[in-house]
Amino acid sequence: MPAKAGDVAQRLDRSAFEAVNGSGRPIACTAQIAHWFSFPVGRAAPGGAVRSELLSDPSTGTVFIDNGAGDLLPVEALWCGFEGRAWETRHVVLLARRLGEAPRDVAVTCMPGDDRLRCR
């Protein structure tokens, strides 16, 4: 069962996630919550950006995303890809996880690659 935001919010650090769409096609970004479950973070038209808040537990290094209903979902990975084929064209966005350290904001620009999106 996911943690409730109100239960742990006071001990979590906040950071921003932003993926700017530098391609000519819409993109979609997704958080991998478990090997079999994912949560849509957002989509962006060309020139737009996907933005979300990430929460981190400094005592464990666990990164969470709020599902909008107040549940904190532990994030295993984030990826962005071309909308409609996001999984097949994904680029995994690395999340720094460091015990006892405040999380860093994650800001990438996503550009088209050969057959995938490239986010740096």
Side-chain angles (χ1 to χ4, degrees), residues 24-113:
R25 298 165 51 188
I27 66 168
C29 297
T30 303
Q32 180 179 323
I33 305 305
H35 296 298
W36 62 91
F37 181 69
S38 60
F39 178 77
V41 176
R43 64 170 301 281
V50 175
R51 292 183 181 90
S52 186
E53 181 179 61
L54 300 175
L55 302 121
S56 298
D57 184 339
S59 67
T60 64
T62 303
V63 176
F64 298 96
I65 192 165
D66 190 319
N67 69 356
D71 298 318
L72 297 181
L73 307 176
V75 176
E76 290 184 7
L78 280 172
W79 73 80
C80 298
F82 293 115
E83 187 174 46
R85 294 189 63 236
W87 174 254
E88 297 88 355
T89 62
R90 75 192 176 281
H91 180 99
V92 176
V93 178
L94 298 178
L95 298 174
R97 301 167 195 257
R98 294 183 175 88
L99 290 176
E101 289 186 25
R104 297 182 185 134
D105 290 343
V106 178
V108 295
T109 298
C110 299
M111 304 294 289

Side-chain angles (χ1 to χ4, degrees), residues 8-22:
V8 294
Q10 57 273 36
R11 64 182 169 95
L12 297 179
D13 294 325
R14 287 163 168 61
S15 62
F17 169 74
E18 179 182 63
V20 174
N21 185 357

